[in-house]
Amino acid sequence: MKIILMILLTMSSLSWGQTLNTMTNREKFQFVFEKLNKDSMHLIPEFYADDVEFVDPVGKINGSKNITKYYENMYKNVKSIKFEFSNFVENGDMVVGVWKMTLVTDKLNGGEPIAVDGNSVIKFKNGKAIYHRDYFDMGAFVYENVPVLGFVVKKIKERFKVEE
């Protein structure tokens, strides 16, 4: 029993005494993406600098307080979200992560999982993210999963598809 408890403690995602401050930039990036949800918003000011610039297909946000509001709004209807990373590229204080996001929300796709491929570029300074840009197909994420609009977007994509 003691061995099992020790193994579980060792395998925990954030070990005793370990904080974001002791992680590499890549580890911070992956940890926050894997752990962020509506109940873990406390990670945002630990990860992002106060004056961070955030850009995604929805728009541009400045400041960690505004990012917190954005994530709170985005995550309030999310039942589950998971990021699976396939690759990381690091260059100095910049980390690029290639991921697949799987999301479940009652608001899209009839509550069924939605999987979207994307990548994020995050630049760090003094251990905190100062720039975060997400690249993903907003059509595959949202537009294709709204009942009437989804049908139209899928038909447009089919029309431009090249047969191999």
Side-chain angles (χ1 to χ4, degrees):
M1 183 66 153
K2 288 182 183 179
I3 293 173
I4 293 171
L5 183 58
M6 288 175 60
I7 290 170
L8 289 174
L9 289 174
T10 304
M11 291 173 52
S12 70
S13 57
L14 194 57
S15 303
W16 291 69
Q18 186 181 23
T19 66
L20 289 179
N21 293 333
T22 63
M23 295 179 181
T24 66
N25 290 337
R26 190 203 61 76
E27 289 169 337
K28 290 176 197 179
F29 180 161
Q30 186 170 3
F31 179 82
V32 169
F33 268 61
E34 290 176 350
K35 299 300 178 192
L36 192 63
N37 61 51
K38 63 185 172 191
D39 299 319
S40 61
M41 292 292 143
H42 66 276
L43 292 172
I44 293 172
E46 293 179 43
F47 181 71
Y48 292 107
D50 291 342
D51 59 347
V52 63
E53 178 183 350
F54 176 92
V55 183
D56 73 1
V58 176
K60 182 177 174 183
I61 300 169
N62 290 305
S64 62
K65 289 181 182 175
N66 291 327
I67 290 174
T68 300
K69 291 176 190 172
Y70 174 75
Y71 280 138
E72 285 172 343
N73 188 47
M74 183 173 65
Y75 279 103
K76 70 181 170 188
N77 295 311
V78 171
K79 287 185 168 184
S80 69
I81 187 167
K82 180 180 180 183
F83 286 89
E84 294 178 48
F85 289 92
S86 60
N87 197 13
F88 286 96
V89 178
E90 297 178 74
N91 184 13
D93 286 335
M94 183 180 70
V95 182
V96 178
V98 180
W99 44 259
K100 178 183 287 282
M101 176 184 68
T102 304
L103 173 100
V104 177
T105 177
D106 289 335
K107 303 288 183 185
L108 296 172
N109 200 30
E112 294 297 314
I114 300 167
V116 178
D117 292 316
N119 66 76
S120 299
V121 176
I122 301 182
K123 296 177 186 174
F124 292 87
K125 183 176 180 182
N126 299 323
K128 289 199 173 191
I130 59 168
Y131 176 83
H132 176 168
R133 178 140 192 188
D134 286 338
Y135 296 91
F136 59 89
D137 181 351
M138 190 64 155
F141 179 47
V142 176
Y143 308 138
E144 290 179 22
N145 295 295
V146 174
V148 175
L149 186 57
F151 175 79
V152 173
V153 171
K154 288 174 185 173
K155 287 295 179 189
I156 291 169
K157 281 186 164 184
E158 285 176 16
R159 185 173 185 149
F160 288 101
K161 187 176 181 178
V162 176
E163 297 295 325
E164 293 182 31

